[in-house]
Amino acid sequence: MNEFELIGRYFKRPTPSALLGVGDDAAIVRPTPGHDLHMSVDMLVEGRHFFADVAPRALGHKALAVNLSDLAAMGARPRWALLSLALPKADEAWVAEFAAGFLALAESHGVELIGGDTTCGPLTLSITILGEAPAGQALRRAAAKAGDDIWVSGELGLGALSVRQRLGWLNVNDAELLAAARYKLEYPEPRLALGAALLPLAHAAADVSDGLMADLGHILDESAVAAEVWADALPSHPALEARRGEFLACLAAGGDDYELVFTAAPAKRAAIEAAAAARGCRVSRIGRIVAGKGARLLDSAGVEIKLDKDGYDHFG
């Protein structure tokens, strides 16, 4: 296949909510009146962000999921996506599976693919996502306040555990745990429903992609506050509870979680728990915002735990 045959066969789909989709020099969209337009872009590079042997369907899912997670962190509703692919060759079977994974997740969240680009090169995926939220209501990193609770959704550490097991940095013999970890790594579920529900409840939020402490750190920097994080409160898979100390680096700084970390006033605790339960999502209160600078990870006695690093370094 040439470039245009590939695009036409696997990626050109009806786009009823866009004024113009795939097939012209540019797409045309019209945001909902009274809403702000949100835009984010993520790039995934083979060997840096995913293993070479990952199934193309899983890769299609994850490529979009990591972008949707950015919108979830701002409480935005996803609407449209642009996809750019650099492929070593035009492998029709690979592209068909990749497109199936991408489009299945897109359809489940009402996202329309409205354009992009393809070329030959080392396997690299770049997606630009566009969404919207009611004007002036987005969750932002710069709004955390001293006295806020710190919350996180879901479970932490599974994606990082899978990566570290593959790299030989850990030795885990629990087949069920490893299967759950690999699924979390390859099929993260963006917390879009929770993010939208947090608009009237939370002050600040970020998605946990590079590691909890690193991504919480972005909130702290933008809000000019500090944090105390309770190591024993970090939510994990039941199989990790008895070995929490061994896997603490995965939980606190491993990355590839695609959960939401957010802050909110203590008065909102019951409402946050109810909103999460209504959407089938676990949330855990893991610390508090305080005056100062930086984040401290504390054990049950209040002693600071030092980690080798706070999160994933894309240039490390």
Side-chain angles (χ1 to χ4, degrees):
M1 291 186 296
N2 64 34
E3 176 184 7
F4 299 103
E5 290 172 335
L6 183 152
I7 293 170
R9 182 173 302 180
Y10 294 106
F11 297 110
K12 189 170 185 177
R13 295 290 187 275
T15 55
S17 75
L19 301 180
L20 183 63
V22 175
D24 217 305
D25 287 305
I28 304 174
V29 299
R30 182 173 294 157
T32 304
H35 286 63
D36 293 330
L37 191 63
H38 293 240
M39 293 165 279
S40 181
V41 61
D42 267 300
M43 183 182 297
L44 278 72
V45 179
E46 183 182 294
R48 171 59 62 178
H49 300 99
F50 58 90
F51 292 107
D53 63 352
V54 66
R57 184 179 291 258
L59 189 57
H61 174 102
K62 184 169 184 176
L64 180 58
V66 303
N67 281 264
L68 295 178
S69 185
D70 287 330
L71 292 190
M74 302 194 81
R77 172 195 172 198
R79 299 290 308 277
W80 306 286
L82 300 162
L83 168 65
S84 291
L85 293 173
L87 302 170
K89 59 180 180 178
D91 181 334
E92 187 170 353
W94 191 97
V95 172
E97 282 293 294
F98 175 89
F102 181 98
L103 293 170
L105 184 61
E107 290 167 8
S108 71
H109 290 291
V111 177
E112 295 177 1
L113 182 61
I114 58 172
D117 193 19
T118 59
T119 190
C120 183
L123 184 56
T124 304
L125 322 168
S126 180
I127 295 172
T128 299
I129 192 77
L130 296 93
E132 56 188 20
Q137 295 185 31
L139 299 173
R140 298 176 60 184
R141 294 176 177 178
K145 301 177 181 180
D148 277 0
D149 293 325
I150 303 171
W151 298 79
V152 72
S153 66
E155 297 173 344
L156 302 173
L158 287 178
L161 185 153
S162 184
V163 170
R164 295 178 185 206
Q165 175 80 4
R166 285 285 306 270
L167 294 174
W169 298 353
L170 293 175
N171 183 19
V172 179
N173 297 313
D174 185 330
E176 184 175 345
L177 174 60
L178 289 175
R182 182 160 183 169
Y183 189 83
K184 175 72 171 180
L185 175 67
E186 296 184 352
Y187 286 93
E189 188 58 42
R191 301 296 188 181
L192 288 160
L194 177 64
L198 291 175
L199 283 176
L201 302 175
H203 287 152
D207 87 313
V208 183
S209 54
D210 293 330
L212 172 69
M213 298 300 284
D215 291 311
L216 174 60
H218 299 320
I219 293 176
L220 305 182
D221 290 343
E222 293 295 321
S223 299
V225 291
E228 295 176 352
V229 179
W230 309 318
D232 288 351
L234 301 183
S236 65
H237 189 279
L240 297 183
E241 285 298 333
R243 304 168 68 182
R244 176 176 288 271
E246 182 181 352
F247 294 108
L248 183 59
C250 290
L251 299 176
D256 266 309
D257 296 301
Y258 299 101
E259 298 292 348
L260 300 183
V261 58
F262 58 96
T263 80
K268 301 294 186 180
R269 289 175 186 172
I272 287 169
E273 290 174 343
R279 289 153 182 83
C281 180
R282 174 183 180 181
V283 289
S284 303
R285 191 160 52 91
I286 62 167
R288 61 177 183 156
I289 297 294
V290 297
K293 184 176 181 179
R296 299 170 65 227
L297 182 64
L298 306 177
D299 67 14
S300 57
V303 177
E304 185 172 1
I305 301 170
K306 295 291 188 180
L307 300 171
D308 290 338
K309 55 183 180 179
D310 288 339
Y312 180 72
D313 179 1
H314 292 263
F315 288 92

PDB file of all heavy atoms in Angstrom, residues 129-146:
ATOM      1  N   ILE A 129      -4.699  15.403  20.679  1.00  0.00           N
ATOM      2  CA  ILE A 129      -6.079  15.232  21.101  1.00  0.00           C
ATOM      3  C   ILE A 129      -6.698  16.599  21.359  1.00  0.00           C
ATOM      4  O   ILE A 129      -6.038  17.504  21.863  1.00  0.00           O
ATOM      5  CB  ILE A 129      -6.171  14.345  22.370  1.00  0.00           C
ATOM      6  CG1 ILE A 129      -7.622  13.905  22.657  1.00  0.00           C
ATOM      7  CG2 ILE A 129      -5.562  15.009  23.576  1.00  0.00           C
ATOM      8  CD1 ILE A 129      -8.100  12.793  21.778  1.00  0.00           C
ATOM      9  N   LEU A 130      -7.950  16.758  20.956  1.00  0.00           N
ATOM     10  CA  LEU A 130      -8.697  17.997  21.194  1.00  0.00           C
ATOM     11  C   LEU A 130      -9.962  17.654  21.962  1.00  0.00           C
ATOM     12  O   LEU A 130     -10.659  16.684  21.635  1.00  0.00           O
ATOM     13  CB  LEU A 130      -9.059  18.682  19.880  1.00  0.00           C
ATOM     14  CG  LEU A 130      -7.901  19.180  19.021  1.00  0.00           C
ATOM     15  CD1 LEU A 130      -7.506  18.106  17.999  1.00  0.00           C
ATOM     16  CD2 LEU A 130      -8.296  20.448  18.287  1.00  0.00           C
ATOM     17  N   GLY A 131     -10.234  18.443  22.979  1.00  0.00           N
ATOM     18  CA  GLY A 131     -11.429  18.244  23.777  1.00  0.00           C
ATOM     19  C   GLY A 131     -11.944  19.573  24.265  1.00  0.00           C
ATOM     20  O   GLY A 131     -11.433  20.629  23.890  1.00  0.00           O
ATOM     21  N   GLU A 132     -12.948  19.528  25.121  1.00  0.00           N
ATOM     22  CA  GLU A 132     -13.537  20.777  25.599  1.00  0.00           C
ATOM     23  C   GLU A 132     -14.121  20.596  26.987  1.00  0.00           C
ATOM     24  O   GLU A 132     -14.457  19.483  27.409  1.00  0.00           O
ATOM     25  CB  GLU A 132     -14.613  21.264  24.624  1.00  0.00           C
ATOM     26  CG  GLU A 132     -15.703  20.254  24.359  1.00  0.00           C
ATOM     27  CD  GLU A 132     -16.644  20.684  23.233  1.00  0.00           C
ATOM     28  OE1 GLU A 132     -16.249  21.542  22.416  1.00  0.00           O
ATOM     29  OE2 GLU A 132     -17.767  20.146  23.184  1.00  0.00           O
ATOM     30  N   ALA A 133     -14.182  21.706  27.698  1.00  0.00           N
ATOM     31  CA  ALA A 133     -14.786  21.746  29.026  1.00  0.00           C
ATOM     32  C   ALA A 133     -15.518  23.077  29.156  1.00  0.00           C
ATOM     33  O   ALA A 133     -15.194  24.040  28.452  1.00  0.00           O
ATOM     34  CB  ALA A 133     -13.716  21.615  30.104  1.00  0.00           C
ATOM     35  N   PRO A 134     -16.511  23.151  30.039  1.00  0.00           N
ATOM     36  CA  PRO A 134     -17.210  24.425  30.239  1.00  0.00           C
ATOM     37  C   PRO A 134     -16.221  25.553  30.502  1.00  0.00           C
ATOM     38  O   PRO A 134     -15.241  25.380  31.231  1.00  0.00           O
ATOM     39  CB  PRO A 134     -18.098  24.148  31.461  1.00  0.00           C
ATOM     40  CG  PRO A 134     -18.353  22.666  31.403  1.00  0.00           C
ATOM     41  CD  PRO A 134     -17.075  22.068  30.885  1.00  0.00           C
ATOM     42  N   ALA A 135     -16.461  26.691  29.896  1.00  0.00           N
ATOM     43  CA  ALA A 135     -15.517  27.809  29.935  1.00  0.00           C
ATOM     44  C   ALA A 135     -15.111  28.162  31.361  1.00  0.00           C
ATOM     45  O   ALA A 135     -15.963  28.343  32.243  1.00  0.00           O
ATOM     46  CB  ALA A 135     -16.126  29.030  29.239  1.00  0.00           C
ATOM     47  N   GLY A 136     -13.798  28.215  31.570  1.00  0.00           N
ATOM     48  CA  GLY A 136     -13.253  28.641  32.848  1.00  0.00           C
ATOM     49  C   GLY A 136     -13.307  27.634  33.966  1.00  0.00           C
ATOM     50  O   GLY A 136     -12.928  27.948  35.098  1.00  0.00           O
ATOM     51  N   GLN A 137     -13.737  26.394  33.689  1.00  0.00           N
ATOM     52  CA  GLN A 137     -13.928  25.422  34.757  1.00  0.00           C
ATOM     53  C   GLN A 137     -12.883  24.306  34.780  1.00  0.00           C
ATOM     54  O   GLN A 137     -12.952  23.405  35.617  1.00  0.00           O
ATOM     55  CB  GLN A 137     -15.327  24.795  34.659  1.00  0.00           C
ATOM     56  CG  GLN A 137     -16.450  25.778  34.890  1.00  0.00           C
ATOM     57  CD  GLN A 137     -17.810  25.105  34.905  1.00  0.00           C
ATOM     58  OE1 GLN A 137     -17.939  23.949  35.293  1.00  0.00           O
ATOM     59  NE2 GLN A 137     -18.830  25.827  34.463  1.00  0.00           N
ATOM     60  N   ALA A 138     -11.916  24.316  33.897  1.00  0.00           N
ATOM     61  CA  ALA A 138     -10.948  23.219  33.816  1.00  0.00           C
ATOM     62  C   ALA A 138     -10.147  23.077  35.103  1.00  0.00           C
ATOM     63  O   ALA A 138      -9.844  24.064  35.793  1.00  0.00           O
ATOM     64  CB  ALA A 138      -9.991  23.457  32.653  1.00  0.00           C
ATOM     65  N   LEU A 139      -9.799  21.839  35.431  1.00  0.00           N
ATOM     66  CA  LEU A 139      -8.861  21.578  36.523  1.00  0.00           C
ATOM     67  C   LEU A 139      -7.461  21.934  36.041  1.00  0.00           C
ATOM     68  O   LEU A 139      -7.067  21.540  34.948  1.00  0.00           O
ATOM     69  CB  LEU A 139      -8.920  20.106  36.926  1.00  0.00           C
ATOM     70  CG  LEU A 139     -10.267  19.607  37.439  1.00  0.00           C
ATOM     71  CD1 LEU A 139     -10.222  18.098  37.643  1.00  0.00           C
ATOM     72  CD2 LEU A 139     -10.646  20.302  38.742  1.00  0.00           C
ATOM     73  N   ARG A 140      -6.705  22.654  36.862  1.00  0.00           N
ATOM     74  CA  ARG A 140      -5.363  23.076  36.466  1.00  0.00           C
ATOM     75  C   ARG A 140      -4.366  22.733  37.565  1.00  0.00           C
ATOM     76  O   ARG A 140      -4.726  22.620  38.743  1.00  0.00           O
ATOM     77  CB  ARG A 140      -5.348  24.579  36.178  1.00  0.00           C
ATOM     78  CG  ARG A 140      -6.273  24.969  35.028  1.00  0.00           C
ATOM     79  CD  ARG A 140      -6.302  26.474  34.823  1.00  0.00           C
ATOM     80  NE  ARG A 140      -4.972  26.985  34.514  1.00  0.00           N
ATOM     81  CZ  ARG A 140      -4.703  28.287  34.371  1.00  0.00           C
ATOM     82  NH1 ARG A 140      -5.659  29.178  34.509  1.00  0.00           N
ATOM     83  NH2 ARG A 140      -3.477  28.679  34.085  1.00  0.00           N
ATOM     84  N   ARG A 141      -3.125  22.608  37.197  1.00  0.00           N
ATOM     85  CA  ARG A 141      -2.090  22.273  38.166  1.00  0.00           C
ATOM     86  C   ARG A 141      -1.843  23.408  39.164  1.00  0.00           C
ATOM     87  O   ARG A 141      -1.324  23.169  40.253  1.00  0.00           O
ATOM     88  CB  ARG A 141      -0.785  21.947  37.438  1.00  0.00           C
ATOM     89  CG  ARG A 141      -0.841  20.691  36.582  1.00  0.00           C
ATOM     90  CD  ARG A 141       0.455  20.503  35.819  1.00  0.00           C
ATOM     91  NE  ARG A 141       0.461  19.272  35.041  1.00  0.00           N
ATOM     92  CZ  ARG A 141       1.469  18.897  34.252  1.00  0.00           C
ATOM     93  NH1 ARG A 141       2.537  19.673  34.134  1.00  0.00           N
ATOM     94  NH2 ARG A 141       1.404  17.757  33.585  1.00  0.00           N
ATOM     95  N   ALA A 142      -2.183  24.609  38.792  1.00  0.00           N
ATOM     96  CA  ALA A 142      -1.799  25.779  39.588  1.00  0.00           C
ATOM     97  C   ALA A 142      -2.810  26.160  40.662  1.00  0.00           C
ATOM     98  O   ALA A 142      -2.760  27.277  41.179  1.00  0.00           O
ATOM     99  CB  ALA A 142      -1.572  26.972  38.659  1.00  0.00           C
ATOM    100  N   ALA A 143      -3.723  25.263  41.032  1.00  0.00           N
ATOM    101  CA  ALA A 143      -4.811  25.666  41.930  1.00  0.00           C
ATOM    102  C   ALA A 143      -4.830  24.930  43.267  1.00  0.00           C
ATOM    103  O   ALA A 143      -5.784  25.070  44.042  1.00  0.00           O
ATOM    104  CB  ALA A 143      -6.159  25.472  41.228  1.00  0.00           C
ATOM    105  N   ALA A 144      -3.795  24.127  43.589  1.00  0.00           N
ATOM    106  CA  ALA A 144      -3.758  23.438  44.885  1.00  0.00           C
ATOM    107  C   ALA A 144      -3.577  24.448  46.016  1.00  0.00           C
ATOM    108  O   ALA A 144      -2.905  25.470  45.854  1.00  0.00           O
ATOM    109  CB  ALA A 144      -2.629  22.419  44.907  1.00  0.00           C
ATOM    110  N   LYS A 145      -4.172  24.146  47.174  1.00  0.00           N
ATOM    111  CA  LYS A 145      -4.131  25.058  48.312  1.00  0.00           C
ATOM    112  C   LYS A 145      -3.660  24.324  49.562  1.00  0.00           C
ATOM    113  O   LYS A 145      -3.991  23.143  49.766  1.00  0.00           O
ATOM    114  CB  LYS A 145      -5.532  25.640  48.559  1.00  0.00           C
ATOM    115  CG  LYS A 145      -6.109  26.393  47.373  1.00  0.00           C
ATOM    116  CD  LYS A 145      -7.517  26.870  47.656  1.00  0.00           C
ATOM    117  CE  LYS A 145      -8.106  27.596  46.444  1.00  0.00           C
ATOM    118  NZ  LYS A 145      -9.488  28.066  46.696  1.00  0.00           N
ATOM    119  N   ALA A 146      -2.890  25.012  50.391  1.00  0.00           N
ATOM    120  CA  ALA A 146      -2.482  24.430  51.668  1.00  0.00           C
ATOM    121  C   ALA A 146      -3.721  24.001  52.449  1.00  0.00           C
ATOM    122  O   ALA A 146      -4.706  24.735  52.521  1.00  0.00           O
ATOM    123  CB  ALA A 146      -1.666  25.443  52.464  1.00  0.00           C
TER     124      ALA A 146
END
